[in-house]
Amino acid sequence: MVKFSKELQSQLVPEWQEAYCAYAELKNDLKRIQQHRTMGPTYTRSGTSLGILRSIASTKAANLTKTFTRTFSRAPSPRGRPDYMASLSVKPGVHSKDVIAINKRKTEDGDVYMTELREPISISPQDITYFARLDAQLTKVNKFYKKKETENIVRAGVLEKKMYELIHAQEAVARQGIPVEYATPLGPVKQDHDAHMTGHHMQNPKELSDELPLISEDTERSESFLMEASAPAGKHQEDDDDDGEIDDAISRYIVDQTASKNLKTGSAEHRSKESAASGSILKLRSAMKATSSVVPDPVDEDKELEYIRGDDDVESQKTYTQKELDEAKRLLRRAFVDFYRSLSLLSSYRSVNITAFAKITKKYDEITGWAIAPIYMKEVESSHFVTSKKIHKLATKVEDIYIKHFADGERKKAMAQLRPVRRQGTHRTTFFLGLFSGSSIALLISFFFLVSNPLALKKGGGMGYLNTVFPVFSTLMLVAIHMYFYGWNVYAWQRTRINYPFIFEFSPGTELRFREVLLLSTGFTTFLLAGMNIHIAVTLLTYQDPQVSPGVALAPSALNDTSTAADVIPLILVLTSLLALFFPFNILYRSSRKFFLGCFRRLVIAPLIKVKLSDFFLGDQFTSQVLVFRNLEYVTCYYSSGFFLTNEQDHVCKKNSVYQGFGYVVALLPYWWRFLQCLRRWIEEKDVHQRDNAAKYMSAIVAVGLRQAYTNYRKTPSEVPLLVLMIVASIVATIFTNYWDLCIDWGLLNKQSKNKWLRDKIILKNKSLYFIAMGTNSVLRLAWLATLIQAPVSLGLNQNAFDVCMAVLEILRRGIWNFFRYLSTTRLLIEISV
């Protein structure tokens, strides 16, 4: 059975950690109470050695006295405790309700709880400390819940307005004679003009008001959810200042339509994402106001709602495009899903804290023998965060609206989107994961045995193999290694409860869990190693030398032929991998492949389209796979030029002028894409962090460009100047990128933080892991530097083998970066089991 403390840690929202009931601290108070009753009144809370020694001495003396007394009187003290502790025990005729009284005082900030203790427990300082902390936790939880409840109610009002705007926009499109296209998760569904005119979208404002009671149908009272929850405690709703406070709240929250609206972000990437999302969700509203001759007073809530529900004559003058309508509906659907998840988080917060108070008060009764739990829990159950049903009602109303307007009236479809079911690993997945893992290990061992045969390698021995087909195989190998590290990232994100499906905007239920990612990785590795083994086997089977008798050892010079059929095998592997990526049928996780290709398409046209978080995440991964792009260039040259037929090595391609010129494009492309993404976001969002980030990628572009120029002009008069410029640019780029990783992306090295050299809020309990990650990232950045300055040239190493080793280290660094990048975000979007 899992202890509640661990269960609490697994369910809490990290950004709300300080707002939860401090269960661990209360347990420590209970331990002190237990020690006090065991060791005597001389036990000190500080637990100093002198206090403990005195307590032990007192206990021994008491035991001696007790033994002497029992010898003559045979009258032991209650529950076997020392006589001087008997006053704290439950006495006959003294009820628990006589020793405790819970007082509640109403303030402007909410209810404040104070427990009044009476004898005999009032003489114990440990009990006084425990109840003082318990009252403080109840006050804190109650206040926090009420605050979040109010904020969610304000957001409900904003969403209600947006829903009215969308419905009237659909009416306007229908009046223009344009068929309305309703976006659904399964694809667009068109409805013709006549059918639309007879549908619910053409209802009058009164019917719309009855249909969308998101905040207006709360109780029998005439006051709305929004007005009731936003008013300060102890004041009547007619107060003139209340309207201004409500509208101020609306203006603060109207730009936020994401799931964790109230969690502040410390990351430039997430800030820009929120800004982009909020700007898009308000696009349709701005267009509606711009085309209207009447602008409502933003302070008067009723006037604005009246304007939104507006007069038919005014609405008929507005024009919209189908694209704007589809985008507005898509964003509004997402806003409702986000809002529903925030309600689920708050509901989880409520239930977890109720359980915490019940558990801790029960433990107190078990230690002391009193029956305080029922008395205190009665007060807890009457508190606002327990008795309030507003969040539950809001969630129910959101479900009803979503079912009717976004799920074609199908509750099952709506709940699948509002409460996406976590994809469970099947036994088939586990079986094939084990099968492919074992097969990969066996094929790897087999490959090493085959390579040890002198006939297995091309002309020129090992160097010939490294300079011909090895760059082709290494391309797929680097992709496989990156997939393994992504699987580790997914596992780590799941363990730390980072809601990566929501962050990357995966369709509900389609995201790959770490088992699925590892299944793809091991399957791809098996496919790659099988191809490498077949390549060696074909080479051995097709090699013929009539001058050599069987069983006679061959000199290296005799290894002078490799069949064309063997060299085609690496090309088949590459083409098959690309074909599997674009395969249109619903196998091999088609939804994930489609999502990847969509991100890649947006990455390529970055300057022309709004950048999403998943787009720049993919761009970051590509900056660690520059060698893959270079190898793909080599594959194109090696096979398209027919060099594989003549057994030419890679230097033939590298001496080609077209190959050298195209090398600039291939090497710089990943950094260029990220540079354009940052520029787009800087211009669009006015975020200076994106400008600085663009400068970081420009420094990398200069360093990589000089590296390519040095490679092309080696052994020329320009070699030395290019070498100097390349080293300087590489060092500058390395320092710049490493600083950005640690201080900006990870948010570490903060001298003012309460966690020295880290940041104020950290998720991992072991702080040393952060310092280890910082050191590892800095060291692995040097591997990137070594690749840029071409260290193997002076060391006499094979360039291809060295580049692959450095690329593996860069992928390792990127895997670590991925984890801490999204762990460092102070606005963590936490998933909850539903």
Side-chain angles (χ1 to χ4, degrees):
M1 185 175 180
V2 181
K3 290 186 176 181
F4 177 72
S5 56
K6 293 184 179 180
E7 183 182 349
L8 175 62
Q9 288 296 322
S10 65
Q11 294 187 18
L12 61 79
V13 180
E15 279 306 304
W16 295 353
Q17 187 169 2
E18 300 298 327
Y20 282 82
C21 174
Y23 186 79
E25 296 181 7
L26 290 169
K27 281 189 66 176
N28 291 335
D29 289 337
L30 291 181
K31 290 179 181 178
R32 297 186 187 103
I33 291 174
Q34 189 174 21
Q35 290 172 334
H36 177 255
R37 279 158 169 71
T38 302
M39 304 182 69
T42 55
Y43 175 78
T44 61
R45 182 180 177 183
S46 60
T48 58
S49 301
L50 182 60
I52 294 176
L53 291 175
R54 288 178 178 176
S55 300
I56 294 174
S58 301
T59 304
K60 289 183 177 180
N63 289 336
L64 289 174
T65 305
K66 180 175 63 176
T67 303
F68 181 80
T69 305
R70 285 180 178 177
T71 303
F72 294 96
S73 63
R74 301 294 180 182
S77 60
R79 295 180 179 268
R81 294 188 180 89
D83 291 340
Y84 57 80
M85 297 303 298
S87 60
L88 294 176
S89 304
V90 179
K91 296 182 178 180
V94 179
H95 299 286
S96 298
K97 62 182 180 179
D98 298 330
V99 298
I100 185 175
I102 305 174
N103 302 317
K104 181 171 66 174
R105 180 166 55 89
K106 293 186 177 294
T107 64
E108 292 185 358
D109 295 334
D111 298 334
V112 177
Y113 293 88
M114 293 188 301
T115 300
E116 178 185 351
L117 301 179
R118 305 188 182 100
E119 291 187 357
I121 62 176
S122 62
I123 64 175
S124 170
Q126 286 75 20
D127 290 73
I128 294 174
T129 302
Y130 165 77
F131 279 101
R133 193 187 305 277
L134 189 64
D135 294 338
Q137 297 306 309
L138 180 57
T139 302
K140 176 184 70 176
V141 169
N142 206 44
K143 180 180 177 181
F144 180 82
Y145 183 87
K146 195 169 185 179
K147 173 187 173 184
K148 293 299 178 184
E149 182 184 66
T150 303
E151 292 174 352
N152 279 283
I153 290 171
V154 171
R155 292 183 64 196
V158 174
L159 283 177
E160 185 183 34
K161 299 178 199 176
K162 296 297 176 186
M163 196 67 217
Y164 283 121
E165 291 178 8
L166 178 64
I167 291 175
H168 283 291
Q170 290 173 334
E171 293 176 4
V173 172
R175 293 190 187 99
Q176 297 168 21
I178 302 175
V180 179
E181 183 176 351
Y182 297 97
T184 67
L186 301 179
V189 179
K190 291 189 177 181
Q191 181 177 0
D192 59 26
H193 178 261
D194 296 335
H196 177 70
M197 292 294 288
T198 60
H200 68 275
H201 295 287
M202 290 303 297
Q203 297 169 357
N204 58 45
K206 178 62 175 64
E207 291 172 337
L208 292 176
S209 178
D210 296 336
E211 184 180 295
L212 297 171
L214 189 59
I215 61 172
S216 57
E217 288 186 359
D218 177 23
T219 61
E220 295 179 357
R221 295 171 294 178
S222 59
E223 299 164 344
S224 70
F225 246 7
L226 177 64
M227 300 298 293
E228 176 186 353
S230 301
K235 293 188 178 182
H236 201 269
Q237 292 289 356
E238 290 98 80
D239 195 332
D240 294 335
D241 295 332
D242 290 355
D243 290 337
E245 294 177 5
I246 294 170
D247 294 312
D248 290 341
I250 292 175
S251 64
R252 288 194 304 269
Y253 295 107
I254 197 171
V255 296
D256 187 11
Q257 298 296 337
T258 52
S260 299
K261 158 69 191 67
N262 309 299
L263 306 181
K264 302 298 182 182
T265 178
S267 165
E269 305 287 4
H270 283 268
R271 283 198 302 270
S272 57
K273 179 191 173 190
E274 294 165 9
S275 176
S278 60
S280 299
I281 197 67
L282 293 176
K283 180 179 179 181
L284 181 62
R285 184 177 187 179
S286 300
M288 292 175 67
K289 291 188 177 181
T291 56
S292 174
S293 59
V294 180
V295 179
D297 183 1
V299 178
D300 193 331
E301 185 81 13
D302 296 330
K303 288 183 179 179
E304 187 166 2
L305 285 174
E306 181 181 354
Y307 162 74
I308 294 172
R309 299 169 185 177
D311 185 78
D312 289 341
D313 295 334
V314 178
E315 293 287 344
S316 62
Q317 299 175 3
K318 300 178 181 179
T319 59
Y320 308 95
T321 64
Q322 186 64 44
K323 184 178 180 181
E324 288 178 333
L325 186 61
D326 294 341
E327 179 69 8
K329 188 166 186 177
R330 183 187 69 83
L331 292 173
L332 189 57
R333 177 193 293 111
R334 177 170 173 78
F336 269 97
V337 173
D338 297 348
F339 179 58
Y340 187 83
R341 290 179 180 176
S342 69
L343 297 177
S344 300
L345 287 174
L346 196 55
S347 298
S348 174
Y349 172 84
R350 171 183 176 271
S351 60
V352 165
N353 281 289
I354 293 175
T355 306
F357 283 114
K359 292 277 187 182
I360 203 66
T361 51
K362 182 180 178 181
K363 286 182 179 292
Y364 178 84
D365 289 353
E366 292 174 354
I367 291 174
T368 63
W370 294 99
I372 302 298
I375 302 172
Y376 203 91
M377 284 306 299
K378 183 178 180 180
E379 195 66 34
V380 171
E381 291 169 357
S382 64
S383 61
H384 178 80
F385 85 98
V386 177
T387 58
S388 177
K389 304 299 181 184
K390 295 178 180 179
I391 296 299
H392 174 72
K393 291 180 179 179
L394 273 180
T396 302
K397 292 170 183 176
V398 169
E399 292 175 3
D400 295 339
I401 292 174
Y402 197 91
I403 291 171
K404 188 165 188 178
H405 293 276
F406 300 104
D408 301 328
E410 298 182 19
R411 180 175 180 81
K412 184 177 180 180
K413 182 195 298 184
M415 299 315 295
Q417 298 176 37
L418 293 173
R419 300 180 185 176
V421 179
R422 176 181 297 178
R423 175 180 291 178
Q424 300 294 331
T426 62
H427 293 296
R428 183 174 59 182
T429 300
T430 305
F431 170 76
F432 281 105
L433 177 59
L435 177 64
F436 289 143
S437 299
S439 300
S440 299
I441 295 174
L443 288 171
L444 182 62
I445 296 173
S446 172
F447 175 76
F448 282 116
F449 275 107
L450 289 174
V451 169
S452 63
N453 192 315
L455 297 177
L457 302 179
K458 295 172 68 72
K459 180 181 178 179
M463 287 298 176
Y465 183 83
L466 292 175
N467 292 330
T468 52
V469 296
F470 179 72
V472 186
F473 286 129
S474 65
T475 301
L476 302 179
M477 181 180 68
L478 292 175
V479 173
I481 292 174
H482 209 136
M483 291 172 63
Y484 279 109
F485 277 104
Y486 177 71
W488 173 79
N489 286 146
V490 172
Y491 173 77
W493 289 333
Q494 288 182 215
R495 293 284 294 178
T496 51
R497 302 186 67 245
I498 296 178
N499 192 6
Y500 72 94
F502 180 76
I503 294 176
F504 295 131
E505 301 184 41
F506 292 132
S507 298
T510 63
E511 73 280 359
L512 296 182
R513 297 288 174 173
F514 74 94
R515 284 187 179 87
E516 285 83 4
V517 177
L518 292 180
L519 175 62
L520 287 175
S521 304
T522 54
F524 187 69
T525 303
T526 302
F527 169 72
L528 173 60
L529 289 174
M532 296 175 69
N533 278 269
I534 293 174
H535 173 263
I536 298 295
V538 171
T539 302
L540 291 173
L541 292 174
T542 57
Y543 180 81
Q544 296 179 355
D545 191 347
Q547 299 179 357
V548 179
S549 301
V552 179
L554 295 176
S557 60
L559 305 176
N560 54 10
D561 185 34
T562 299
S563 68
T564 302
D567 277 359
V568 173
I569 292 175
L571 178 63
I572 294 176
L573 295 182
V574 174
L575 295 179
T576 305
S577 301
L578 294 176
L579 179 63
L581 180 61
F582 291 94
F583 201 61
F585 299 104
N586 192 16
I587 58 175
L588 296 176
Y589 304 107
R590 183 180 64 176
S591 59
S592 298
R593 292 187 285 113
K594 182 179 179 181
F595 183 85
F596 172 82
L597 293 175
C599 292
F600 182 73
R601 177 183 62 84
R602 291 190 297 270
L603 175 65
V604 173
I605 57 175
L608 308 176
I609 195 171
K610 186 181 294 295
V611 182
K612 297 182 178 180
L613 186 143
S614 55
D615 302 340
F616 62 72
F617 175 81
L618 181 62
D620 286 328
Q621 309 311 303
F622 281 165
T623 58
S624 296
Q625 290 283 15
V626 175
L627 184 59
V628 170
F629 286 83
R630 285 177 174 159
N631 285 347
L632 288 176
E633 180 194 14
Y634 168 76
V635 170
T636 304
C637 174
Y638 186 67
Y639 286 101
S640 64
S641 301
F643 293 137
F644 73 102
L645 299 174
T646 58
N647 299 325
E648 298 290 347
Q649 296 189 11
D650 63 346
H651 61 80
V652 177
C653 281
K654 292 180 179 179
K655 290 181 179 179
N656 186 286
S657 58
V658 176
Y659 181 90
Q660 291 178 348
F662 199 70
Y664 290 101
V665 178
V666 173
L668 300 179
L669 204 54
Y671 301 101
W672 180 249
W673 285 335
R674 285 294 289 125
F675 174 75
L676 293 179
Q677 284 182 331
C678 294
L679 282 185
R680 163 83 187 207
R681 297 177 63 187
W682 173 45
I683 296 173
E684 186 175 86
E685 302 163 14
K686 310 302 181 183
D687 185 359
V688 294
H689 283 85
Q690 297 305 319
R691 179 198 61 193
D692 299 337
N693 204 16
K696 179 192 74 172
Y697 286 108
M698 179 52 67
S699 68
I701 288 173
V702 172
V704 174
L706 288 173
R707 191 257 195 194
Q708 185 66 30
Y710 173 74
T711 303
N712 294 342
Y713 293 98
R714 192 183 302 166
K715 297 180 181 180
T716 65
S718 304
E719 178 181 8
V720 176
L722 287 175
L723 177 63
V724 174
L725 291 176
M726 178 186 67
I727 293 176
V728 173
S730 300
I731 293 176
V732 171
T734 301
I735 295 174
F736 196 172
T737 53
N738 192 54
Y739 164 79
W740 194 272
D741 289 343
L742 303 182
C743 298
I744 307 300
D745 287 339
W746 292 3
L748 302 176
L749 295 179
N750 184 3
K751 295 189 295 184
Q752 307 300 327
S753 172
K754 61 182 181 182
N755 299 306
K756 192 66 173 177
W757 295 108
L758 297 177
R759 56 177 179 271
D760 291 337
K761 295 182 179 180
I762 58 177
I763 305 301
L764 301 180
K765 295 181 179 179
N766 190 350
K767 297 180 182 179
S768 61
L769 293 177
Y770 289 92
F771 293 101
I772 293 174
M774 287 190 286
T776 304
N777 187 83
S778 301
V779 171
L780 293 179
R781 276 292 183 186
L782 297 178
W784 182 74
L785 176 63
T787 304
L788 287 178
I789 63 177
Q790 296 189 335
V793 174
S794 58
L795 299 178
L797 303 176
N798 182 268
Q799 183 69 51
N800 291 333
F802 180 82
D803 286 345
V804 170
C805 293
M806 295 300 102
V808 171
L809 294 179
E810 170 60 18
I811 294 173
L812 170 61
R813 188 201 67 80
R814 179 60 63 183
I816 298 173
W817 181 91
N818 288 340
F819 173 68
F820 283 93
R821 170 66 183 82
Y822 296 100
L823 190 68
S824 66
T825 307
T826 57
R827 182 183 181 189
L828 290 176
L829 306 176
I830 305 302
E831 60 188 340
I832 119 181
S833 300
V834 291

